[in-house]
Amino acid sequence: MQPPEDLATALRRRVRQAIAEAEHAVERSEALAAARRLVRERALLKRCAWCGRVSFGGGWQGDGDLPGFVPERVREEATHGICPRCFGELERDGKTHPRG
């Protein structure tokens, strides 16, 4: 049987939990702001031509991970690019060098 948690340990655990909740709230706020800009400016999402992930809210996410409030028009009219992960893989494979 484990001894009861002391007060300092309980407080540290609660502080870590509060920080994680705050970070999640900031991420959600940034995603909401990005969505508002997309709609207001009629901007296009950038979709990776290799893996299909979408650049949104400061990161690259799967299309299914986009918030539901992102309009279908914005999802369908995405422009294509390449995400950093796929670019790194192509670069490692030597596929980004110009053909000679």
Side-chain angles (χ1 to χ4, degrees), residues 9-44:
T9 302
L11 286 173
R12 280 192 296 273
R13 182 178 48 78
R14 181 61 188 125
V15 166
R16 282 192 302 272
Q17 181 182 1
I19 290 170
E21 290 170 2
E23 288 172 346
H24 178 72
V26 167
E27 289 171 4
R28 180 163 168 72
S29 176
E30 289 171 350
L32 286 168
R36 287 184 66 207
R37 280 191 305 276
L38 284 170
V39 172
R40 185 176 58 243
E41 299 168 6
R42 295 198 49 85
L44 295 175

